[in-house]
Amino acid sequence: MKITARDIPPRAAWALEQAGVHPLLARLYAARGVRDKDELNEDLNRLLPPAGLMGIQQAATLLADAMARDLRLCVVADYDCDGATACAVAVRGLRLLGAKHVDYLVPDRVTDGYGLTPPIARRVKERSADVLITVDNGIASVEGVAEAKALGLQVLVTDHHLPGPELPAADAMVNPNQPGCTFESKSLAGVGVMFYVLMALRSELRARGVFDLASQPKLDPLLTLVALGTVADVVRLDANNRRLVAQGLRRIRAGAMPAGVAALFAAAGRKAPVATTFDFGFALGPRINAAGRLADMTLGIECLLTDDAGRASHLAGQLDTINRERREIEGGMREQAMLMAENLFDESEDPPPAISVFDPEFHEGVVGIVASRIKDKLHRPTFVFAASSAPGKEHELKGSGRSIPGFHLRDALDLVAKRHPGVLLKFGGHAMAAGCTVAAEAFQTFEQALAQVAQEWLDASTLTRRIETDGPLAPEYCRADLVDTLHREVWGQGFAPPTFSEEVQVLSQRLVGEAKNHLSIKLMHQGNPVDAIWFGHTEQLPARVLLAFRLDVNEWRGERKVQFLVEGAEI
């Protein structure tokens, strides 16, 4: 492991500080590419205009025409948190703007697989729908869109995933990553794309005289869901996404949120008045995702749609129970998968350049989480496969992969498919996360082919795990109130949460937790004693060590003390 410090442009840090930004925040922002205080403006009027999205006017016209004719709209969602929030935003937003007939359908992870398939198109038609709207999927659903069109449905695709070689023949398509789209933010989540479509639809309805600026419905209440889906999908938090997330957090902290979001905060034991992006990513998001992994994402969507506090509480409780079950399944799978991965190489050797593992007992709903855990520990692109439980698909393996910086996972799958035709039955995804389906007998071929691509693309530098930090923490900033200030900011993918690093003296250390799998440390930082904890780490540290750590506040008997959360050590 290598711990490195980010470059902090002194002029940018100085300019931000002179503009009134706290000195520590000025340094953190400058290190993340912020050059001007204006970039930190979170006002809604600073959002990129919807008109910049290719196809958005056609989408707005299609929806406005459908609403004028009282046509029946059906939203086809995805079964993760981005898909669930995008579906809830679509249903709530369309009804808010006057649509009288809005239904939704969410595919089943096991029996349907990902995206708009021909069978799903037929199910939408059976519901007497006239217009099919995809959220967080559809850009690769060439056959599904063709089937929907053949059945007489109008089709609007809203998505953010990377397109394949052929685009679907939809009536309208909004995706910042489609060829020819010049929208500045390519990192919009699926829920963000749908929110933008609603903004364009409202403008179109205003132009038609349906309402004016004074009477138009406010879309602001949807921003809590936009923020949740954006963070949970781990998209890059560029300036536009940070504004969307900041607006959602602002409303949650003020108590203005759907009943389901409030109930999820309660179920997770988190406090909405001090909500952070960590709550979205590690508390609310996983509870919604658990429904899609182990049960039916309809539970998650209904929780986000209901305005009944009692029903919301009941649904959030169900989601919490499912998430506990998910954690139990994941725990057993993670141990088994990690053992299989570590058996691929001797203790004296480095891990192979890419890792693929499969066991017939693995649950396909949590393969992505387990792949992420292995990737984090071994710092290698990792795929974990499970046998498909879909009827008639028992001979297929469904895999989910997670990658490391410098290895574009979807592009790697594309190269595997070209080199070994027929091995990949289906694949798609992003640079850092992707999914694929292979025939059971082709698993070893896939494993070797992926490792070969990784061998060609990765070198010793990219195969070394690196923690990028913000350097040393001045002792005057080691205060609970300042940690609270840091937590209130919008951090996440592409705008990393503050992580500091410096050499410290270890005073004492002991293993804690039921399984004795966390290291509790007392250390000396800049002459001051500080408590620290390293979750999931059991090896003892030397007396002096270079640590990378985040800041947290530990509350005990009314006293609030700064605590270091250790991310890694360079020994």
Side-chain angles (χ1 to χ4, degrees):
M1 174 183 291
K2 189 75 177 167
I3 295 174
T4 59
R6 294 183 180 88
D7 178 48
I8 302 170
R11 287 191 178 186
W14 181 84
L16 290 169
E17 195 173 335
Q18 291 300 302
V21 177
H22 186 282
L24 178 58
L25 282 173
R27 174 181 143 195
L28 297 172
Y29 285 141
R32 285 154 182 76
V34 177
R35 297 289 175 266
D36 191 294
K37 187 181 180 182
D38 193 52
E39 295 176 51
L40 304 173
N41 189 325
E42 298 170 349
D43 291 348
L44 279 177
N45 60 15
R46 296 307 309 276
L47 285 176
L48 294 171
L53 273 165
M54 181 178 170
I56 201 161
Q57 185 53 50
Q58 292 95 309
T61 302
L62 184 155
L63 291 172
D65 288 347
M67 288 163 59
R69 295 168 55 199
D70 268 350
L71 297 184
R72 305 184 73 85
L73 313 175
C74 184
V75 179
V76 174
D78 185 26
Y79 39 68
D80 67 359
C81 187
D82 186 18
T85 51
C87 182
V89 163
V91 173
R92 281 183 173 275
L94 288 167
R95 288 173 178 167
L96 200 62
L97 293 172
K100 295 185 176 66
H101 313 289
V102 188
D103 192 10
Y104 75 89
L105 184 153
V106 58
D108 182 272
R109 180 187 290 267
V110 173
T111 57
D112 294 314
Y114 172 76
L116 171 63
T117 61
I120 292 170
R122 291 191 285 272
R123 272 153 55 194
V124 170
K125 182 64 178 178
E126 287 165 7
R127 294 188 175 199
S128 303
D130 304 296
V131 180
L132 187 158
I133 306 162
T134 72
V135 290
D136 194 31
N137 75 94
I139 194 69
S141 303
V142 175
E143 293 177 359
V145 171
E147 178 70 7
K149 294 289 294 173
L151 292 168
L153 291 163
Q154 292 184 70
V155 180
L156 164 59
V157 167
T158 76
D159 199 355
H160 71 124
H161 293 93
L162 298 174
E166 183 183 356
L167 293 175
D171 294 279
M173 191 154 49
V174 186
N175 181 338
N177 291 302
Q178 67 178 304
C181 184
T182 58
F183 193 67
E184 189 180 325
S185 172
K186 301 295 181 185
S187 302
L188 273 181
V191 66
V193 175
M194 189 61 224
F195 182 73
Y196 263 79
V197 168
L198 292 171
M199 286 197 288
L201 172 58
R202 186 175 64 177
S203 294
E204 175 64 21
L205 292 172
R206 203 167 56 235
R208 296 184 183 200
V210 176
F211 33 65
D212 57 25
L213 277 171
S215 64
Q216 69 179 7
K218 286 188 176 294
L219 297 175
D220 305 18
L222 302 175
L223 285 163
T224 54
L225 300 175
V226 176
L228 170 57
T230 297
V231 173
D233 210 45
V234 203
V235 294
R236 190 170 71 86
L237 293 185
D238 58 20
N240 204 61
N241 276 340
R242 290 203 309 276
R243 288 184 181 109
L244 290 169
V245 173
Q247 287 288 334
L249 279 173
R250 186 180 297 177
R251 283 160 176 76
I252 288 171
R253 290 168 185 162
M257 70 193 105
V261 173
L264 285 167
F265 267 97
R270 301 294 179 111
K271 300 173 182 176
V274 289
T276 69
T277 50
F278 290 96
D279 294 323
F280 290 157
F282 298 100
L284 276 67
R287 281 166 173 77
I288 295 173
N289 275 326
R293 295 184 190 283
L294 301 187
D296 179 359
M297 186 46 96
T298 303
L299 275 174
I301 294 171
E302 283 298 310
C303 184
L304 300 176
L305 283 177
T306 185
D307 292 318
D308 182 308
R311 183 161 187 260
S313 180
H314 174 70
L315 290 168
Q318 286 184 279
L319 293 171
D320 187 59
T321 300
I322 295 167
N323 191 50
R324 291 175 194 275
E325 182 188 349
R326 186 270 304 169
R327 282 204 295 259
E328 287 179 15
I329 293 171
E330 179 205 329
M333 258 180 72
R334 184 175 66 244
E335 287 181 19
Q336 175 69 8
M338 193 70 76
L339 190 61
M340 293 171 71
E342 290 173 340
N343 283 339
L344 295 173
F345 58 99
D346 293 331
E347 274 189 36
S348 58
E349 299 176 329
D350 289 330
I355 290 168
S356 302
V357 295
F358 159 67
D359 188 282
E361 299 302 314
F362 284 173
H363 191 296
E364 66 181 276
V366 294
V367 286
I369 304 174
V370 174
S372 183
R373 301 289 189 262
I374 296 174
K375 180 268 298 181
D376 287 345
K377 183 172 183 182
L378 301 180
H379 193 67
R380 293 294 186 270
T382 301
F383 262 91
V384 176
F385 285 85
S388 173
S389 5
K393 303 278 189 179
E394 292 80 3
H395 63 291
E396 294 180 359
L397 306 183
K398 295 175 81 170
S400 188
R402 299 294 183 269
S403 195
I404 61 176
F407 192 77
H408 195 298
L409 210 51
R410 188 196 171 281
D411 286 356
L413 291 178
D414 189 44
L415 186 53
V416 168
K418 288 181 171 119
R419 288 179 173 178
H420 303 271
V423 165
L424 285 170
L425 305 177
K426 190 189 301 183
F427 70 91
H430 300 291
M432 303 302 285
C436 67
T437 304
V438 302
E441 63 271 15
F443 172 71
Q444 283 190 321
T445 305
F446 171 84
E447 180 182 20
Q448 293 163 5
L450 184 70
Q452 179 61 37
V453 174
Q455 183 75 48
E456 295 166 12
W457 289 5
L458 297 169
D459 56 21
S461 175
T462 46
L463 287 172
T464 300
R465 187 184 173 209
R466 296 175 186 277
I467 297 183
E468 202 174 25
T469 76
D470 296 291
L473 176 71
E476 63 265 28
Y477 296 147
C478 200
R479 307 195 317 261
D481 64 314
L482 202 51
V483 176
D484 293 339
T485 298
L486 292 181
H487 283 183
R488 279 194 294 271
E489 300 302 305
V490 174
W491 312 106
Q493 183 70 22
F495 205 77
T499 304
F500 303 95
S501 61
E502 55 194 294
E503 188 174 289
V504 295
Q505 179 186 356
V506 176
L507 302 175
S508 66
Q509 50 191 318
R510 62 190 178 92
L511 293 176
V512 296
E514 285 184 25
K516 300 291 183 185
N517 59 341
H518 308 308
L519 189 63
S520 176
I521 315 161
K522 289 191 180 296
L523 51 85
M524 189 67 73
H525 168 260
Q526 305 252 6
N528 299 309
V530 178
D531 290 338
I533 189 158
W534 192 345
F535 290 111
H537 185 86
T538 55
E539 296 172 20
Q540 295 285 295
L541 295 172
R544 292 198 69 82
V545 62
L546 177 62
L547 289 184
F549 55 91
R550 291 189 291 110
L551 300 178
D552 197 17
V553 176
N554 188 27
E555 297 191 30
W556 176 249
R557 293 180 177 174
E559 188 181 3
R560 304 178 79 240
K561 293 175 65 177
V562 172
Q563 174 180 249
F564 290 177
L565 302 180
V566 179
E567 295 283 300
E570 189 176 307
I571 301 171

